[in-house]
Amino acid sequence: MQVEGQGSGSTARRSLRYSWCMRNGTFILSLTLALSLSCGDDEPTRPEDGTIKVWESCAWEGQVVPELCESGLACTSHGVCAPTCSEAACPTFDGFEVECNPFETTQICELRCNDAQECPDTKGTELHCHQLYCIGDV
């Protein structure tokens, strides 16, 4: 809406006045835009299939995703990419036993807890002891 301003002398001119709802709408739109731009890149992105390395987590948003593991690895039911052992020997960790056990259609290397119920540092996801085996947190 265009309304003549109430000024005197050199300050008298025509000016646009905005209604109350137009001012609030502009403010809300600006605030929404600013928030969306500031938060846009904070959300983590899913890793590409076949990129997760041995003993790292193959879980995404609480779900086990077998496609994430590199070839030659199997995503266990507890969300860790474990090496398969049908063709090769399992990796070793000082003070820990590693067993080659059946899993679905293949065999995988499974770490056993030591006598103190501890798991080795695999340089991957943190493992914890559960029923004699070292597992992930899925």
Side-chain angles (χ1 to χ4, degrees):
M1 170 178 4
Q2 196 169 16
V3 177
E4 295 238 0
Q6 300 283 335
S8 63
S10 65
T11 61
R13 64 175 189 254
R14 292 182 87 163
S15 62
L16 293 176
R17 301 211 183 202
Y18 294 101
S19 69
W20 175 84
C21 64
M22 288 178 68
R23 272 184 264 137
N24 285 343
T26 304
F27 174 74
I28 290 171
L29 181 62
S30 299
L31 183 61
T32 304
L33 180 61
L35 288 174
S36 67
L37 291 175
S38 68
C39 298
D41 294 335
D42 291 347
E43 188 173 311
T45 56
R46 180 178 179 261
E48 291 184 35
D49 289 351
T51 60
I52 303 298
K53 299 186 182 316
V54 67
W55 305 123
E56 291 182 358
S57 176
C58 52
W60 180 252
E61 294 181 344
Q63 300 294 317
V64 173
V65 185
E67 298 82 24
L68 293 177
C69 295
E70 289 181 334
S71 74
L73 304 176
C75 186
T76 64
S77 58
H78 50 81
V80 175
C81 291
T84 57
C85 50
S86 54
E87 300 168 3
C90 292
T92 59
F93 295 93
D94 288 338
F96 295 91
E97 292 182 41
V98 183
E99 297 177 353
C100 185
N101 293 324
F103 178 74
E104 295 180 358
T105 60
T106 189
Q107 304 243 97
I108 61 168
C109 299
E110 291 189 286
L111 292 165
R112 289 187 59 105
C113 309
N114 64 11
D115 293 336
Q117 302 293 303
E118 298 170 329
C119 294
D121 178 11
T122 62
K123 306 295 185 221
T125 192
E126 188 173 332
L127 303 176
H128 65 275
C129 189
H130 179 73
Q131 297 180 351
L132 302 177
Y133 289 95
C134 295
I135 65 169
D137 284 330
V138 172

